[in-house]
Amino acid sequence: MTARIGVVTFPGSLDDRDTQRAIRLAGAEPVALWHKDKDLKQVDAVVLCGGFSYGDYLRAGAIARFSPVMEPLLEQAKAGLPVLGICNGFQILTEAHLLPGTMLRNNHLHFICRDQKLRVENAETAWTSDYTAGQEIHIPLKNIDGQYVADQHTLDALESEGRVAFRYLDVNPNGSNNDIAGVTNEVGNVVGLMPHPEHAVEPLIGTGRTDGLPFFTSILKKLVNA
């Protein structure tokens, strides 16, 4: 049976088709989910893709968090459904409190678009098992609200519990606390990051490397072996 991975499209989403393509390249079946859907169509995992849901009005992800599709997603994520939030998806996951912390405007107040070097800090989540801890990868980054912040207690917990999934290397592009580029929840089924792995799955696009493909092969192996 082919694993089915849902990709949610909100008004203002930009990277839903790219994400579906990355899922297909990994060998799974992408399933389009609309923000007004009240069920998840029995998918095995869900990706909240990048973009500017609802135009980032109020706050990035703040309105999308209340979309109808988020009700079953919240319930099922808490029950173990694997969920990946990329860029705006990461922002939505923090707004929904599936991941700790929040995202603020970049500390230099400018939109950035660049290839970004990362270090994999946690290779034991549902979405990162095809990496190795300490591995250095290059993933495209594009955001204006990408500064990850949290109170000191939360930061200490993330560090001590190994829940920092990715960290920026060489340069911190947005002022994120502790150079954090991505985090995971306690059990590793929910992961969020600001860079865009779906843009690094083929040599002819993005960084010219395939450093992002293991996100999608990781979840496929997780689902197949479950």
Side-chain angles (χ1 to χ4, degrees):
M1 180 181 295
T2 303
R4 302 172 73 248
I5 302 178
V7 179
V8 180
T9 299
F10 298 93
S13 294
L14 296 178
D15 298 303
D16 43 352
R17 299 292 181 89
D18 303 76
T19 304
Q20 290 174 25
R21 179 172 177 79
I23 290 168
R24 194 174 294 111
L25 285 171
E29 176 189 351
V31 177
L33 299 174
W34 183 234
H35 70 114
K36 289 187 177 181
D37 288 341
K38 296 184 179 180
D39 71 83
L40 300 181
K41 302 181 181 179
Q42 298 182 317
V43 296
D44 303 302
V46 171
V47 180
L48 301 180
C49 66
F52 302 91
S53 59
Y54 296 93
D56 281 350
Y57 290 115
L58 299 184
R59 253 186 343 268
I63 300 177
R65 178 261 178 274
F66 293 101
S67 290
V69 75
M70 291 299 294
E71 184 175 347
L73 188 145
L74 281 165
E75 179 182 347
Q76 294 185 41
K78 291 175 181 178
L81 179 76
V83 178
L84 175 66
I86 302 171
C87 195
N88 189 233
F90 186 15
Q91 295 160 344
I92 295 168
L93 291 177
T94 62
E95 289 289 337
H97 304 298
L98 282 174
L99 291 175
T102 193
M103 313 303 300
L104 299 180
R105 186 63 49 100
N106 295 340
N107 62 342
H108 45 73
L109 304 181
H110 294 289
F111 180 85
I112 53 173
C113 183
R114 54 170 291 155
D115 292 341
Q116 178 65 48
K117 189 176 182 181
L118 306 175
R119 183 171 62 239
V120 180
E121 301 284 14
N122 185 331
E124 298 179 2
T125 78
W127 299 93
T128 61
S129 61
D130 262 1
Y131 293 108
T132 57
Q135 183 177 350
E136 297 181 2
I137 60 177
H138 292 79
I139 303 288
L141 176 72
K142 50 176 184 174
N143 63 68
I144 193 168
D145 295 300
Q147 182 182 181
Y148 181 81
V149 298
D151 61 71
Q152 193 59 51
H153 175 76
T154 299
L155 291 172
D156 290 344
L158 289 172
E159 297 287 359
S160 65
E161 296 169 11
R163 291 171 54 200
V164 175
F166 298 91
R167 211 179 301 270
Y168 296 117
L169 289 183
D170 294 345
V171 63
N172 184 327
N174 44 37
S176 292
N177 291 168
N178 294 14
D179 299 328
I180 292 173
V183 300
T184 178
N185 67 345
E186 293 90 339
V187 295
N189 66 304
V190 180
V191 172
L193 78 161
M194 287 309 296
H196 287 260
E198 77 280 12
H199 295 323
V201 294
E202 295 180 281
L204 294 179
I205 62 172
T207 59
R209 302 160 63 128
T210 58
D211 291 3
L213 191 59
F215 277 90
F216 306 101
T217 56
S218 292
I219 189 59
L220 179 59
K221 290 179 181 178
K222 168 75 173 178
L223 296 172
V224 169
N225 295 327

